[in-house]
Amino acid sequence: MSAVSSGKGKKKQTDSIEEIWNLRLYVAGQTPKSITAFANLKKICEEHLAGKYRIEVIDLLKNPQLAKGDQIIAIPTLVRKLPEPIKKIIGDLANTERVLVGLDIRSASG
């Protein structure tokens, strides 16, 4: 599981700097919940961050030591590395509105 957007999307006139969203999804193997979380994340990114995102999937079964760096205590966990500040969302990312607000893509008021 990995996805990299090409960054060739049309730039909005209101954007002064094209920001790349650096997202890290921590999973433990190819479990149904992990696969669902990745699919949900990819869908949200394509709809709201097209051409401006990078997803890195970290399998903690293969690299358990990587959990310490981002203080991962549950999986799947999504970590927004960039833009700062770092944000974390735990779960399968099925609640799109919660993910958008949690990542600051959309404000809580809509």
Side-chain angles (χ1 to χ4, degrees), residues 10-45:
K10 290 186 179 177
K11 190 174 180 180
K12 294 178 187 172
Q13 291 181 336
T14 55
D15 288 348
S16 57
I17 299 172
E18 190 70 22
E19 226 172 7
I20 296 292
W21 288 63
N22 190 348
L23 305 170
R24 194 175 277 178
L25 181 64
Y26 287 89
V27 297
Q30 298 284 321
T31 66
K33 199 167 191 175
S34 296
I35 293 166
T36 300
F38 178 73
N40 289 337
L41 177 59
K42 189 150 172 54
K43 181 174 182 255
I44 290 167
C45 287

Side-chain angles (χ1 to χ4, degrees), residues 58-75:
I58 307 229
D59 188 339
L60 294 178
L61 292 181
K62 296 176 184 170
N63 298 298
Q65 72 281 7
L66 295 177
K68 190 175 182 182
D70 281 323
Q71 300 175 338
I72 303 304
I73 57 170
I75 43 175

Side-chain angles (χ1 to χ4, degrees), residues 53-91:
Y53 71 93
R54 188 172 302 124
I55 299 171
E56 181 183 3
V57 178
I58 307 229
D59 188 339
L60 294 178
L61 292 181
K62 296 176 184 170
N63 298 298
Q65 72 281 7
L66 295 177
K68 190 175 182 182
D70 281 323
Q71 300 175 338
I72 303 304
I73 57 170
I75 43 175
T77 295
L78 174 64
V79 178
R80 182 186 85 180
K81 302 294 275 183
L82 291 173
E84 292 186 323
I86 291 173
K87 300 271 187 174
K88 293 181 188 175
I89 299 174
I90 297 170

Side-chain angles (χ1 to χ4, degrees), residues 89-91 93 95-103:
I89 299 174
I90 297 170
L93 312 176
N95 183 334
T96 301
E97 192 62 33
R98 184 176 152 252
V99 174
L100 293 174
V101 170
L103 292 177

